[in-house]
Amino acid sequence: MPAASVTPEAGHAQTYDRGFQGTPSVVAGVEFGYEIGDVTGGLKPLVSTVEGRWAFAPAGTGVRVTWAWTLHPLNAGSSLAMPLFGRLWHGYARQALEQIEGLLLPG
């Protein structure tokens, strides 16, 4: 089944307190990755697991933060919804990260 994958750039954090599987991958100061397996809420009928990655790269006098993820469809039926869901999620994530960026930057 194809997975949806999107990469918004800007801002910072999203926190999950449950559902993590395995050992997060970490390259200190560069990136870290994770997998969420116990998907709940509105995503439960669509998604079996989510793989995420935060990456950090120098950008001028600051840091570019990239949050990328791959959503794995729960079944063949939910895989049909992934392209539309990916577009919707990308817009939501970009807006959320931009709002967080606004809180963190002076001015």
Side-chain angles (χ1 to χ4, degrees):
M1 288 180 273
S5 183
V6 289
T7 308
E9 296 179 356
H12 292 274
Q14 175 76 15
T15 302
Y16 296 93
D17 61 357
R18 56 186 266 225
F20 284 100
Q21 295 181 330
T23 303
S25 63
V26 177
V27 178
V30 177
E31 69 178 44
F32 71 91
Y34 58 90
E35 182 177 329
I36 299 172
D38 184 22
V39 178
T40 61
L43 292 180
K44 188 174 181 96
L46 296 174
V47 176
S48 62
T49 58
V50 177
E51 297 171 16
R53 182 177 142 281
W54 288 87
F56 310 93
T61 60
V63 175
R64 175 176 299 278
V65 177
T66 303
W67 179 30
W69 58 90
T70 301
L71 305 172
H72 295 277
L74 184 63
N75 54 46
S78 63
S79 70
L80 297 174
M82 287 295 108
L84 174 61
F85 180 78
R87 284 193 296 275
L88 294 171
W89 183 260
H90 186 268
Y92 162 78
R94 180 173 298 284
Q95 180 181 2
L97 292 172
E98 286 174 356
Q99 288 175 348
I100 293 169
E101 181 180 44
L103 295 171
L104 295 173
L105 294 177

